[in-house]
Amino acid sequence: VQLQASGGGLVQAGGSLRLSCAASGRTFSSYVMAWFRQAPGKDRQFVAAISWRGISRDYVDSVKGRFTIARDNAENTMYLQMNSLKPEDTAIYYCAAGSRYQFAVNEYDYWGQGTLVTVSS
């Protein structure tokens, strides 16, 4: 599967952005999907994951209540709605696809190219 992330940009603290991840192929629904992010000088970090049919969703503590992950299997697309953004959310956001509902970077086999989110204070 090939993944294409989009929707990043510059936003003021307290603002919102919606990221999208478009997948190629007809097997999108067979993958667990997730968002990760990487800030300058830091390791790539798990942000959110969603199970094959969207029944299970999990988030890193720092984004709970602010971010919402969703998927549309008919459209082969995953989303990340980000509200109440903070400067510490600034990072490159990557979408990823894997076969197991896990949250570690090495559990995901396919990655998008990343989209930059910058939150100004």
Side-chain angles (χ1 to χ4, degrees):
V1 65
Q2 292 184 324
L3 305 174
Q4 179 77 32
S6 62
L10 173 63
V11 64
Q12 288 187 332
S16 298
L17 282 174
R18 189 176 81 154
L19 306 183
S20 298
C21 177
S24 65
R26 296 180 291 177
T27 60
F28 178 71
S29 60
S30 67
Y31 293 101
V32 172
M33 298 298 296
W35 290 97
F36 290 79
R37 65 186 179 187
Q38 188 164 17
K42 295 189 176 181
D43 292 336
R44 194 166 295 189
Q45 174 195 33
F46 168 78
V47 176
I50 187 167
S51 61
W52 301 265
R53 292 186 292 169
I55 295 173
S56 297
R57 310 180 194 204
D58 281 273
Y59 303 89
V60 66
D61 286 347
S62 59
V63 308
K64 284 180 181 177
R66 300 189 297 122
F67 291 11
T68 302
I69 190 171
R71 67 188 297 164
D72 185 337
N73 286 345
E75 296 294 329
N76 285 2
T77 305
M78 173 181 65
Y79 303 97
L80 186 68
Q81 178 66 43
M82 305 187 295
N83 298 329
S84 302
L85 282 161
K86 304 175 180 180
E88 52 263 42
D89 294 319
T90 294
I92 299 174
Y93 283 70
Y94 298 90
C95 57
S99 57
R100 301 203 303 168
Y101 193 68
Q102 299 287 343
F103 310 142
V105 171
N106 60 8
E107 290 288 344
Y108 289 82
D109 303 309
Y110 304 96
W111 293 84
Q113 85 289 0
T115 184
L116 177 62
V117 172
T118 303
V119 184
S120 62
S121 57

